[in-house]
Amino acid sequence: MSRVALVTGGTRGIGAAVSKALKEAGYKVAANYAGNDDAANAFKSETGISVYKWDVSDFDACQKGIEQVTADLGPIEVLINNAGITRDATLHKMTAEKWQQVISTDLDSIFNMSRGVIESMREKGFGRIVNVSSINGQKGQFGQSNYAAAKAGMIGFTKSVALENASKGVTANVVAPGYIGTEMVRAVPEEILAKIVGQIPVGRLGETEEIAKAVLFLASDDGGFMTGSTLSINGGQYMA
Protein backbone atom coordinates (compact mmCIF):
# COMPACT_ATOMS: atom_id res chain seq x y z
CA MET A 1 0.00 0.00 0.00
CA SER A 2 1.39 3.40 -0.99
CA ARG A 3 2.44 5.73 1.79
CA VAL A 4 0.85 9.19 1.92
CA ALA A 5 3.21 12.17 1.69
CA LEU A 6 2.37 15.85 2.16
CA VAL A 7 4.71 18.55 0.84
CA THR A 8 4.18 22.16 1.89
CA GLY A 9 5.09 24.69 -0.76
CA GLY A 10 4.92 21.65 -2.97
CA THR A 11 3.97 23.07 -6.37
CA ARG A 12 7.00 25.22 -7.24
CA GLY A 13 10.79 25.11 -7.03
CA ILE A 14 12.32 22.59 -4.65
CA GLY A 15 8.88 21.61 -3.37
CA ALA A 16 7.68 20.70 -6.85
CA ALA A 17 10.76 18.54 -7.44
CA VAL A 18 10.17 16.77 -4.12
CA SER A 19 6.50 16.20 -4.90
CA LYS A 20 7.36 14.71 -8.30
CA ALA A 21 10.12 12.48 -6.89
CA LEU A 22 7.81 11.12 -4.21
CA LYS A 23 5.10 10.35 -6.75
CA GLU A 24 7.58 8.62 -9.07
CA ALA A 25 8.70 6.51 -6.08
CA GLY A 26 5.12 5.34 -5.54
CA TYR A 27 3.86 7.66 -2.81
CA LYS A 28 0.41 9.18 -2.79
CA VAL A 29 1.31 12.87 -2.75
CA ALA A 30 -0.52 15.99 -1.62
CA ALA A 31 1.11 19.30 -2.51
CA ASN A 32 0.17 22.31 -0.41
CA TYR A 33 0.43 25.85 -1.76
CA ALA A 34 -0.28 29.33 -0.45
CA GLY A 35 -1.69 31.56 -3.13
CA ASN A 36 -0.63 31.09 -6.76
CA ASP A 37 -3.67 29.30 -8.15
CA ASP A 38 -2.48 29.39 -11.75
CA ALA A 39 0.86 27.77 -10.93
CA ALA A 40 -0.79 25.17 -8.68
CA ASN A 41 -3.38 24.21 -11.28
CA ALA A 42 -0.72 23.96 -13.97
CA PHE A 43 1.33 21.73 -11.67
CA LYS A 44 -1.70 19.52 -11.00
CA SER A 45 -2.44 19.21 -14.72
CA GLU A 46 1.18 18.36 -15.50
CA THR A 47 1.75 15.82 -12.74
CA GLY A 48 -1.64 14.53 -11.59
CA ILE A 49 -0.65 15.37 -8.02
CA SER A 50 -3.44 16.64 -5.77
CA VAL A 51 -3.02 20.25 -4.65
CA TYR A 52 -4.38 21.88 -1.51
CA LYS A 53 -4.45 25.57 -0.67
CA TRP A 54 -3.93 26.88 2.84
CA ASP A 55 -1.70 29.24 4.81
CA VAL A 56 0.90 27.21 6.71
CA SER A 57 1.41 30.08 9.18
CA ASP A 58 -2.19 29.60 10.40
CA PHE A 59 -2.46 26.76 12.93
CA ASP A 60 -6.17 26.15 12.43
CA ALA A 61 -5.85 26.21 8.65
CA CYS A 62 -3.10 23.60 8.89
CA GLN A 63 -5.26 21.29 10.97
CA LYS A 64 -8.15 21.61 8.51
CA GLY A 65 -5.80 21.00 5.59
CA ILE A 66 -4.34 17.91 7.23
CA GLU A 67 -7.85 16.61 7.90
CA GLN A 68 -8.80 17.10 4.25
CA VAL A 69 -5.68 15.36 2.94
CA THR A 70 -6.26 12.48 5.36
CA ALA A 71 -9.88 12.15 4.24
CA ASP A 72 -8.85 12.15 0.57
CA LEU A 73 -5.67 10.05 0.62
CA GLY A 74 -5.32 8.46 4.06
CA PRO A 75 -3.20 9.16 7.16
CA ILE A 76 -0.09 11.22 6.44
CA GLU A 77 3.06 9.17 6.98
CA VAL A 78 5.59 11.51 5.38
CA LEU A 79 5.63 15.28 5.97
CA ILE A 80 7.97 17.55 4.06
CA ASN A 81 8.01 21.07 5.54
CA ASN A 82 9.28 23.07 2.58
CA ALA A 83 7.14 26.24 2.52
CA GLY A 84 9.05 29.44 3.10
CA ILE A 85 9.34 33.11 2.20
CA THR A 86 11.94 35.87 2.43
CA ARG A 87 11.49 39.50 3.44
CA ASP A 88 15.05 40.77 3.32
CA ALA A 89 16.38 43.84 5.10
CA THR A 90 19.28 44.67 7.37
CA LEU A 91 18.32 44.75 11.03
CA HIS A 92 18.43 48.54 11.33
CA LYS A 93 15.90 48.76 8.50
CA MET A 94 13.80 45.67 9.21
CA THR A 95 10.20 46.23 10.26
CA ALA A 96 8.41 44.12 12.84
CA GLU A 97 6.07 43.05 10.05
CA LYS A 98 8.91 41.67 7.91
CA TRP A 99 10.34 39.84 10.90
CA GLN A 100 7.04 38.27 11.88
CA GLN A 101 6.00 37.29 8.36
CA VAL A 102 9.13 35.20 7.90
CA ILE A 103 9.08 33.68 11.38
CA SER A 104 5.41 32.76 11.01
CA THR A 105 5.70 31.22 7.55
CA ASP A 106 9.12 29.60 7.83
CA LEU A 107 9.30 28.52 11.48
CA ASP A 108 5.84 28.54 13.08
CA SER A 109 4.61 26.51 10.13
CA ILE A 110 6.74 23.49 10.96
CA PHE A 111 5.17 23.37 14.42
CA ASN A 112 1.71 23.84 12.93
CA MET A 113 2.17 21.01 10.45
CA SER A 114 4.20 18.61 12.56
CA ARG A 115 1.82 18.94 15.50
CA GLY A 116 -1.03 17.97 13.20
CA VAL A 117 0.52 14.67 12.10
CA ILE A 118 2.71 13.53 14.98
CA GLU A 119 0.06 11.69 17.00
CA SER A 120 -1.05 9.67 14.00
CA MET A 121 2.55 8.81 13.13
CA ARG A 122 3.27 7.68 16.69
CA GLU A 123 0.15 5.53 16.79
CA LYS A 124 1.04 3.92 13.46
CA GLY A 125 4.65 3.31 14.54
CA PHE A 126 6.01 4.96 11.42
CA GLY A 127 6.61 8.53 10.33
CA ARG A 128 9.04 10.69 8.45
CA ILE A 129 9.36 14.45 8.94
CA VAL A 130 11.82 16.28 6.71
CA ASN A 131 12.33 20.01 7.21
CA VAL A 132 13.87 22.11 4.45
CA SER A 133 16.22 24.64 6.02
CA SER A 134 18.98 26.59 4.23
CA ILE A 135 22.69 27.22 4.12
CA ASN A 136 21.81 30.65 5.50
CA GLY A 137 20.34 29.08 8.62
CA GLN A 138 23.75 27.51 9.21
CA LYS A 139 26.09 30.39 8.43
CA GLY A 140 23.87 33.50 8.53
CA GLN A 141 23.43 35.97 5.69
CA PHE A 142 23.65 39.73 5.32
CA GLY A 143 20.14 41.21 5.27
CA GLN A 144 18.45 38.01 6.38
CA SER A 145 18.39 37.97 10.17
CA ASN A 146 14.72 36.94 10.06
CA TYR A 147 15.23 34.16 7.50
CA ALA A 148 18.45 32.89 9.10
CA ALA A 149 16.80 32.83 12.53
CA ALA A 150 13.84 30.85 11.21
CA LYS A 151 16.00 28.36 9.33
CA ALA A 152 18.38 27.90 12.27
CA GLY A 153 15.42 27.45 14.61
CA MET A 154 14.18 24.70 12.33
CA ILE A 155 17.34 22.70 13.02
CA GLY A 156 16.90 22.88 16.81
CA PHE A 157 13.22 21.98 16.50
CA THR A 158 14.07 18.95 14.39
CA LYS A 159 16.63 17.60 16.84
CA SER A 160 14.10 17.80 19.68
CA VAL A 161 11.37 16.11 17.65
CA ALA A 162 13.83 13.39 16.66
CA LEU A 163 14.66 12.66 20.29
CA GLU A 164 11.03 12.61 21.37
CA ASN A 165 9.81 10.23 18.68
CA ALA A 166 12.63 7.88 17.72
CA SER A 167 11.29 5.07 19.89
CA LYS A 168 7.96 5.28 18.06
CA GLY A 169 9.44 4.74 14.60
CA VAL A 170 9.22 8.42 13.67
CA THR A 171 12.29 10.18 12.32
CA ALA A 172 12.90 13.91 11.87
CA ASN A 173 15.69 15.33 9.72
CA VAL A 174 16.76 18.52 7.97
CA VAL A 175 18.07 19.20 4.50
CA ALA A 176 19.91 22.50 4.18
CA PRO A 177 20.24 23.47 0.51
CA GLY A 178 22.69 26.03 -0.76
CA TYR A 179 22.01 28.02 -3.91
CA ILE A 180 19.71 25.98 -6.12
CA GLY A 181 18.80 26.75 -9.72
CA THR A 182 15.16 27.53 -9.15
CA GLU A 183 13.27 29.93 -11.39
CA MET A 184 13.72 32.64 -8.76
CA VAL A 185 17.50 32.19 -8.48
CA ARG A 186 18.03 31.98 -12.22
CA ALA A 187 16.19 35.30 -12.58
CA VAL A 188 18.96 37.07 -10.61
CA PRO A 189 21.00 39.44 -12.81
CA GLU A 190 23.79 37.58 -14.59
CA GLU A 191 26.66 39.48 -12.95
CA ILE A 192 25.29 38.79 -9.45
CA LEU A 193 24.63 35.15 -10.26
CA ALA A 194 28.21 34.81 -11.46
CA LYS A 195 29.47 36.09 -8.09
CA ILE A 196 27.27 33.59 -6.26
CA VAL A 197 28.51 30.68 -8.37
CA GLY A 198 32.07 31.89 -7.83
CA GLN A 199 31.65 31.20 -4.11
CA ILE A 200 30.57 27.58 -4.67
CA PRO A 201 33.55 25.18 -4.83
CA VAL A 202 31.87 22.77 -7.28
CA GLY A 203 31.37 25.76 -9.61
CA ARG A 204 27.64 25.59 -10.28
CA LEU A 205 24.20 25.96 -8.80
CA GLY A 206 22.50 22.92 -7.35
CA GLU A 207 19.52 21.34 -9.07
CA THR A 208 16.12 20.91 -7.46
CA GLU A 209 16.25 17.20 -8.31
CA GLU A 210 19.40 16.80 -6.22
CA ILE A 211 17.58 18.09 -3.16
CA ALA A 212 14.59 15.91 -3.96
CA LYS A 213 16.72 12.77 -4.07
CA ALA A 214 18.10 13.49 -0.60
CA VAL A 215 14.59 14.10 0.74
CA LEU A 216 13.43 10.87 -0.87
CA PHE A 217 16.05 8.87 1.02
CA LEU A 218 15.13 10.46 4.35
CA ALA A 219 11.46 9.73 3.68
CA SER A 220 12.07 6.09 2.83
CA ASP A 221 12.15 2.96 4.94
CA ASP A 222 15.91 2.84 4.25
CA GLY A 223 16.30 6.14 6.11
CA GLY A 224 15.06 4.71 9.39
CA PHE A 225 18.42 4.85 11.20
CA MET A 226 18.96 8.51 10.35
CA THR A 227 17.26 10.99 12.65
CA GLY A 228 18.11 14.40 14.10
CA SER A 229 20.56 14.97 11.26
CA THR A 230 21.16 17.93 8.96
CA LEU A 231 22.22 17.20 5.39
CA SER A 232 24.13 20.16 3.96
CA ILE A 233 23.70 20.17 0.18
CA ASN A 234 25.52 23.28 -0.95
CA GLY A 235 28.38 22.31 -3.29
CA GLY A 236 30.96 22.84 -0.55
CA GLN A 237 30.07 26.49 0.00
CA TYR A 238 29.65 25.96 3.74
CA MET A 239 30.95 22.89 5.58
CA ALA A 240 29.26 22.43 8.93
Short mmCIF file of all heavy atoms in Angstrom, two decimals, residues 4-10 14-15 18-19 22 27 29-30 32 56 76-83 110 113-114 117 121 128-132 173 175 211-212 214-216 218-220:
data_model
loop_
_atom_site.label_atom_id
_atom_site.label_comp_id
_atom_site.label_asym_id
_atom_site.label_seq_id
_atom_site.Cartn_x
_atom_site.Cartn_y
_atom_site.Cartn_z
N VAL A 4 1.37 7.87 2.23
CA VAL A 4 0.85 9.19 1.92
C VAL A 4 1.88 10.23 2.35
O VAL A 4 2.35 10.22 3.49
CB VAL A 4 -0.49 9.45 2.63
CG1 VAL A 4 -0.97 10.88 2.35
CG2 VAL A 4 -1.53 8.44 2.17
N ALA A 5 2.23 11.11 1.42
CA ALA A 5 3.21 12.17 1.69
C ALA A 5 2.59 13.53 1.41
O ALA A 5 1.88 13.71 0.42
CB ALA A 5 4.45 11.99 0.82
N LEU A 6 2.84 14.47 2.30
CA LEU A 6 2.37 15.85 2.16
C LEU A 6 3.58 16.77 2.09
O LEU A 6 4.46 16.72 2.95
CB LEU A 6 1.48 16.22 3.35
CG LEU A 6 1.07 17.69 3.48
CD1 LEU A 6 0.32 18.19 2.25
CD2 LEU A 6 0.21 17.88 4.73
N VAL A 7 3.61 17.61 1.05
CA VAL A 7 4.71 18.55 0.84
C VAL A 7 4.15 19.96 0.90
O VAL A 7 3.30 20.33 0.09
CB VAL A 7 5.38 18.33 -0.53
CG1 VAL A 7 6.60 19.25 -0.68
CG2 VAL A 7 5.78 16.86 -0.71
N THR A 8 4.62 20.77 1.86
CA THR A 8 4.18 22.16 1.89
C THR A 8 5.02 22.97 0.91
O THR A 8 6.21 22.68 0.69
CB THR A 8 4.28 22.77 3.30
OG1 THR A 8 5.65 22.91 3.69
CG2 THR A 8 3.53 21.92 4.31
N GLY A 9 4.40 23.98 0.31
CA GLY A 9 5.09 24.69 -0.76
C GLY A 9 5.47 23.73 -1.87
O GLY A 9 6.55 23.84 -2.46
N GLY A 10 4.57 22.80 -2.16
CA GLY A 10 4.92 21.65 -2.97
C GLY A 10 4.65 21.76 -4.45
O GLY A 10 4.75 20.75 -5.16
N ILE A 14 11.88 23.81 -5.31
CA ILE A 14 12.32 22.59 -4.65
C ILE A 14 11.12 21.73 -4.27
O ILE A 14 11.14 20.51 -4.42
CB ILE A 14 13.16 22.93 -3.40
CG1 ILE A 14 14.51 23.53 -3.82
CG2 ILE A 14 13.38 21.70 -2.53
CD1 ILE A 14 15.33 24.07 -2.67
N GLY A 15 10.06 22.36 -3.78
CA GLY A 15 8.88 21.61 -3.37
C GLY A 15 8.27 20.82 -4.51
O GLY A 15 7.84 19.66 -4.33
N VAL A 18 10.39 17.78 -5.17
CA VAL A 18 10.17 16.77 -4.12
C VAL A 18 8.85 16.05 -4.35
O VAL A 18 8.78 14.82 -4.27
CB VAL A 18 10.21 17.43 -2.73
CG1 VAL A 18 9.75 16.45 -1.66
CG2 VAL A 18 11.61 17.94 -2.41
N SER A 19 7.80 16.81 -4.65
CA SER A 19 6.50 16.20 -4.90
C SER A 19 6.58 15.20 -6.05
O SER A 19 6.05 14.07 -5.96
CB SER A 19 5.46 17.28 -5.22
OG SER A 19 5.22 18.12 -4.11
N LEU A 22 8.59 12.01 -5.07
CA LEU A 22 7.81 11.12 -4.21
C LEU A 22 6.77 10.35 -5.02
O LEU A 22 6.59 9.15 -4.84
CB LEU A 22 7.14 11.93 -3.11
CG LEU A 22 8.05 12.45 -1.99
CD1 LEU A 22 7.35 13.52 -1.18
CD2 LEU A 22 8.51 11.30 -1.09
N TYR A 27 4.64 7.05 -3.88
CA TYR A 27 3.86 7.66 -2.81
C TYR A 27 2.58 8.28 -3.36
O TYR A 27 2.54 8.73 -4.51
CB TYR A 27 4.67 8.75 -2.10
CG TYR A 27 5.86 8.25 -1.31
CD1 TYR A 27 7.05 7.92 -1.95
CD2 TYR A 27 5.80 8.14 0.08
CE1 TYR A 27 8.14 7.47 -1.24
CE2 TYR A 27 6.89 7.70 0.80
CZ TYR A 27 8.07 7.36 0.14
OH TYR A 27 9.15 6.92 0.85
N VAL A 29 0.76 11.56 -3.12
CA VAL A 29 1.31 12.87 -2.75
C VAL A 29 0.23 13.94 -2.74
O VAL A 29 -0.59 14.02 -3.66
CB VAL A 29 2.44 13.28 -3.71
CG1 VAL A 29 3.03 14.63 -3.31
CG2 VAL A 29 3.53 12.21 -3.75
N ALA A 30 0.27 14.76 -1.70
CA ALA A 30 -0.52 15.99 -1.62
C ALA A 30 0.44 17.15 -1.58
O ALA A 30 1.38 17.16 -0.78
CB ALA A 30 -1.40 15.98 -0.37
N ASN A 32 0.78 21.09 -0.94
CA ASN A 32 0.17 22.31 -0.41
C ASN A 32 0.75 23.53 -1.12
O ASN A 32 1.91 23.53 -1.56
CB ASN A 32 0.45 22.41 1.10
CG ASN A 32 0.47 23.84 1.61
OD1 ASN A 32 1.52 24.48 1.64
ND2 ASN A 32 -0.67 24.35 2.00
N VAL A 56 0.22 28.04 5.72
CA VAL A 56 0.90 27.21 6.71
C VAL A 56 1.24 27.98 7.98
O VAL A 56 1.59 27.37 9.00
CB VAL A 56 2.18 26.57 6.13
CG1 VAL A 56 1.83 25.54 5.08
CG2 VAL A 56 3.15 27.61 5.60
N ILE A 76 -1.36 10.71 6.96
CA ILE A 76 -0.09 11.22 6.44
C ILE A 76 1.06 10.55 7.17
O ILE A 76 1.19 10.64 8.39
CB ILE A 76 -0.03 12.74 6.60
CG1 ILE A 76 -1.13 13.40 5.74
CG2 ILE A 76 1.35 13.28 6.21
CD1 ILE A 76 -1.47 14.81 6.14
N GLU A 77 1.91 9.87 6.40
CA GLU A 77 3.06 9.17 6.98
C GLU A 77 4.37 9.88 6.72
O GLU A 77 5.36 9.64 7.42
CB GLU A 77 3.12 7.75 6.41
CG GLU A 77 1.89 6.91 6.78
CD GLU A 77 1.70 5.75 5.83
OE1 GLU A 77 1.28 5.99 4.68
OE2 GLU A 77 1.97 4.61 6.25
N VAL A 78 4.39 10.75 5.73
CA VAL A 78 5.59 11.51 5.38
C VAL A 78 5.20 12.98 5.25
O VAL A 78 4.29 13.33 4.49
CB VAL A 78 6.19 11.02 4.05
CG1 VAL A 78 7.37 11.91 3.64
CG2 VAL A 78 6.63 9.57 4.16
N LEU A 79 5.88 13.83 6.01
CA LEU A 79 5.63 15.28 5.97
C LEU A 79 6.91 15.99 5.57
O LEU A 79 7.95 15.83 6.23
CB LEU A 79 5.16 15.79 7.33
CG LEU A 79 5.07 17.31 7.48
CD1 LEU A 79 4.00 17.89 6.54
CD2 LEU A 79 4.76 17.70 8.93
N ILE A 80 6.84 16.75 4.50
CA ILE A 80 7.97 17.55 4.06
C ILE A 80 7.61 19.02 4.28
O ILE A 80 6.75 19.57 3.59
CB ILE A 80 8.30 17.33 2.57
CG1 ILE A 80 8.31 15.84 2.21
CG2 ILE A 80 9.63 18.00 2.23
CD1 ILE A 80 9.31 15.00 2.97
N ASN A 81 8.25 19.65 5.25
CA ASN A 81 8.01 21.07 5.54
C ASN A 81 8.96 21.91 4.69
O ASN A 81 10.12 22.15 5.05
CB ASN A 81 8.23 21.35 7.02
CG ASN A 81 7.10 20.83 7.88
OD1 ASN A 81 5.93 21.11 7.63
ND2 ASN A 81 7.43 20.06 8.91
N ASN A 82 8.45 22.35 3.54
CA ASN A 82 9.28 23.07 2.58
C ASN A 82 8.87 24.54 2.41
O ASN A 82 9.66 25.34 1.95
CB ASN A 82 9.21 22.35 1.23
CG ASN A 82 9.81 23.15 0.10
OD1 ASN A 82 11.02 23.29 0.00
ND2 ASN A 82 8.95 23.72 -0.75
N ALA A 83 7.64 24.88 2.77
CA ALA A 83 7.14 26.24 2.52
C ALA A 83 8.01 27.28 3.20
O ALA A 83 8.45 27.10 4.35
CB ALA A 83 5.70 26.36 3.01
N ILE A 110 6.32 24.88 10.75
CA ILE A 110 6.74 23.49 10.96
C ILE A 110 6.18 22.93 12.26
O ILE A 110 5.96 21.73 12.38
CB ILE A 110 8.27 23.32 10.87
CG1 ILE A 110 9.01 23.98 12.03
CG2 ILE A 110 8.79 23.84 9.54
CD1 ILE A 110 10.47 23.55 12.10
N MET A 113 2.34 22.22 11.25
CA MET A 113 2.17 21.01 10.45
C MET A 113 2.59 19.75 11.20
O MET A 113 1.87 18.75 11.19
CB MET A 113 2.99 21.14 9.16
CG MET A 113 2.51 22.23 8.20
SD MET A 113 0.80 21.97 7.64
CE MET A 113 0.94 20.35 6.91
N SER A 114 3.71 19.81 11.86
CA SER A 114 4.20 18.61 12.56
C SER A 114 3.28 18.23 13.70
O SER A 114 3.03 17.03 13.95
CB SER A 114 5.62 18.85 13.08
OG SER A 114 6.50 19.15 12.02
N VAL A 117 0.35 16.05 12.57
CA VAL A 117 0.52 14.67 12.10
C VAL A 117 1.22 13.76 13.11
O VAL A 117 1.20 12.54 12.95
CB VAL A 117 1.32 14.63 10.77
CG1 VAL A 117 0.61 15.44 9.69
CG2 VAL A 117 2.75 15.14 10.96
N MET A 121 1.31 9.52 13.43
CA MET A 121 2.55 8.81 13.13
C MET A 121 2.97 7.92 14.30
O MET A 121 3.37 6.76 14.12
CB MET A 121 3.66 9.81 12.80
CG MET A 121 3.52 10.51 11.47
SD MET A 121 4.89 11.68 11.19
CE MET A 121 4.55 12.21 9.51
N ARG A 128 7.85 9.99 8.93
CA ARG A 128 9.04 10.69 8.45
C ARG A 128 8.71 12.19 8.34
O ARG A 128 7.77 12.57 7.65
CB ARG A 128 9.46 10.19 7.06
CG ARG A 128 9.83 8.70 7.02
CD ARG A 128 11.19 8.47 7.64
NE ARG A 128 11.63 7.09 7.50
CZ ARG A 128 11.48 6.14 8.43
NH1 ARG A 128 10.88 6.44 9.57
NH2 ARG A 128 11.94 4.93 8.21
N ILE A 129 9.48 12.99 9.05
CA ILE A 129 9.36 14.45 8.94
C ILE A 129 10.69 14.98 8.41
O ILE A 129 11.75 14.69 8.98
CB ILE A 129 9.04 15.10 10.30
CG1 ILE A 129 7.68 14.60 10.82
CG2 ILE A 129 9.04 16.62 10.18
CD1 ILE A 129 7.35 15.06 12.22
N VAL A 130 10.63 15.68 7.29
CA VAL A 130 11.82 16.28 6.71
C VAL A 130 11.59 17.77 6.58
O VAL A 130 10.63 18.21 5.94
CB VAL A 130 12.14 15.68 5.32
CG1 VAL A 130 13.45 16.27 4.79
CG2 VAL A 130 12.25 14.15 5.40
N ASN A 131 12.46 18.55 7.20
CA ASN A 131 12.33 20.01 7.21
C ASN A 131 13.40 20.63 6.31
O ASN A 131 14.59 20.31 6.43
CB ASN A 131 12.47 20.53 8.64
CG ASN A 131 11.35 20.01 9.53
OD1 ASN A 131 10.20 19.93 9.11
ND2 ASN A 131 11.68 19.64 10.76
N VAL A 132 12.95 21.49 5.40
CA VAL A 132 13.87 22.11 4.45
C VAL A 132 14.36 23.44 5.01
O VAL A 132 13.63 24.42 5.04
CB VAL A 132 13.20 22.30 3.08
CG1 VAL A 132 14.20 22.91 2.09
CG2 VAL A 132 12.69 20.96 2.54
N ASN A 173 14.41 14.90 10.26
CA ASN A 173 15.69 15.33 9.72
C ASN A 173 15.55 16.64 8.97
O ASN A 173 14.44 17.07 8.66
CB ASN A 173 16.26 14.26 8.79
CG ASN A 173 16.68 12.99 9.52
OD1 ASN A 173 17.70 12.97 10.21
ND2 ASN A 173 15.89 11.94 9.37
N VAL A 175 17.16 18.96 5.63
CA VAL A 175 18.07 19.20 4.50
C VAL A 175 18.29 20.70 4.43
O VAL A 175 17.36 21.49 4.59
CB VAL A 175 17.52 18.65 3.17
CG1 VAL A 175 17.46 17.15 3.19
CG2 VAL A 175 16.18 19.25 2.82
N ILE A 211 18.19 17.97 -4.49
CA ILE A 211 17.58 18.09 -3.16
C ILE A 211 16.49 17.05 -2.99
O ILE A 211 16.38 16.40 -1.94
CB ILE A 211 17.00 19.51 -2.95
CG1 ILE A 211 18.07 20.58 -3.27
CG2 ILE A 211 16.49 19.66 -1.53
CD1 ILE A 211 19.33 20.47 -2.48
N ALA A 212 15.69 16.86 -4.03
CA ALA A 212 14.59 15.91 -3.96
C ALA A 212 15.08 14.50 -3.69
O ALA A 212 14.46 13.74 -2.93
CB ALA A 212 13.78 15.95 -5.26
N ALA A 214 17.71 13.59 -2.01
CA ALA A 214 18.10 13.49 -0.60
C ALA A 214 16.86 13.38 0.29
O ALA A 214 16.82 12.57 1.23
CB ALA A 214 18.92 14.72 -0.19
N VAL A 215 15.85 14.17 -0.01
CA VAL A 215 14.59 14.10 0.74
C VAL A 215 13.97 12.72 0.60
O VAL A 215 13.47 12.14 1.57
CB VAL A 215 13.61 15.19 0.27
CG1 VAL A 215 12.23 14.99 0.90
CG2 VAL A 215 14.15 16.58 0.59
N LEU A 216 14.02 12.18 -0.61
CA LEU A 216 13.43 10.87 -0.87
C LEU A 216 14.07 9.79 -0.01
O LEU A 216 13.38 8.92 0.54
CB LEU A 216 13.58 10.53 -2.35
CG LEU A 216 12.77 9.36 -2.89
CD1 LEU A 216 11.28 9.58 -2.70
CD2 LEU A 216 13.09 9.16 -4.37
N LEU A 218 15.54 10.25 2.96
CA LEU A 218 15.13 10.46 4.35
C LEU A 218 13.70 10.04 4.59
O LEU A 218 13.33 9.64 5.70
CB LEU A 218 15.32 11.94 4.72
CG LEU A 218 16.77 12.44 4.75
CD1 LEU A 218 16.79 13.95 4.96
CD2 LEU A 218 17.58 11.73 5.84
N ALA A 219 12.87 10.11 3.56
CA ALA A 219 11.46 9.73 3.68
C ALA A 219 11.25 8.23 3.60
O ALA A 219 10.19 7.73 3.98
CB ALA A 219 10.64 10.41 2.58
N SER A 220 12.24 7.52 3.13
CA SER A 220 12.07 6.09 2.83
C SER A 220 12.26 5.21 4.05
O SER A 220 12.77 5.63 5.09
CB SER A 220 13.09 5.68 1.76
OG SER A 220 14.40 5.65 2.31
#
